[in-house]
Amino acid sequence: MQRRYAKFLAGGLLAATAVAAQAAAVELNVSAWKGGAAEPAAMPELIAKFEKENPDIKIKFDYITRNDTTTIMSSRLQGGAAPDVMMVDRPLMRQWAAAGQLMDLSADPTIQKLAPDVKPLAQIGGKYYMVPMEVVGIGLFANETLLKKAGVDHVPTNISEMKAACTKLRAANITPLLLPAKDGWAPAMLALTMGLAPSVKANPSFVSDVVAGKQKFSSNPNFKQAIGALKELADAHCYDPKLNVGIDPWGLGLTEFTAGRVAMMPQGAWSIQKFTVNGKPAVDFVFAPLPSLDGGKAAGLDMLGTAWAINAAARQPAAAKRWLQFWSKEENLGKFLQAEAAFSPFAGGQSAIPASERLYAEARKAGNTVAHPKGDFSAAFIQEMQKSMAAYLLNINQDQGAVLARWDNAPQQQ
């Protein structure tokens, strides 16, 4: 009887303790543009795992699109009603850190784990305001089945190889290249990478020099050659410039590649999952670095993707830092990286990339990728760069220097 009574008391005590712990749990408000129905990115699974490992913290998750984050979250920060933790990228970090709205994370142990090439991208003026979650490549998707059918034995690595491949593909009645330019994004990324890779190799401070007005795109031979390369590809019948201006890279462009109607297309690695149907690749594709100017090596454009930042006025700062620590662990971040087909931002971190991304991974390991200048250049500059490339495709015979003059005249500083 006494033993039963002791068990009853013990059970009651455990139940009471669990109820008390639940009642004492703090609510950590987290906002992100990943985790929605269209792009879950393993977020629901990771939130559940975090709560299980941290029973004293309950996550209140707010899904807000990237575009809405700029307006909605800026207003909430000004009004003192922003979440404890916010998903950010480099432009948002610059904007909010400059306004004193983000916590200085310089002393946080997660910062020390960042890879050397990622650290500079997470700070302003020597202080760190965000913890990156991923490095995502922008490269060239290539349908290997179509390439082989046309007798092309490897993904082109430079402009000359690209033109030669186009000739074989056209002879086999295969559309060689899709360069969706409705918003100018695809041709802008191709031209930017071809010009930036050799320029940064020759001068690591090239981007900062341009922002400071010490360098100009219009006087840089690499960028002149890069813009001219787009005309070379058009003249080689790789793509139809005017036709591509009517194609949306985020809609019809993805559909055309998924359907196997085009051999190659510039895009981001985040689209790898979109080319998967019922768990299997819709087409036999590989994700490779973008072709280089002749004489160079194929280069990828590494974009620092999403990151976490803590509100300077966070109601639960201790819980917010535990959220950062959770994401810095490989077993947790790996689930997100796998969903995003992204590389780890941490030194020695394991990148859960698919086999289709092997060529890009090899280029990155060999040092043949260059950082996307998003966050260094202003959003207004990026928009003008894209608009200029759409305009260029509408009149591919215009002077390349005039295109680059638009880049020089755009507001480059944040």
Side-chain angles (χ1 to χ4, degrees), residues 32 36 129 147 227 234 236 240 303 356 380 399 404 413:
Y129 294 98
L147 292 181
I227 300 296
D240 183 324
M303 187 171 73
S356 58
D399 180 59
L404 293 173
Q413 295 186 4

Side-chain angles (χ1 to χ4, degrees), residues 4 36 41 127 227 287 347:
R4 287 182 183 177
K127 293 184 178 181
I227 300 296
F287 182 68

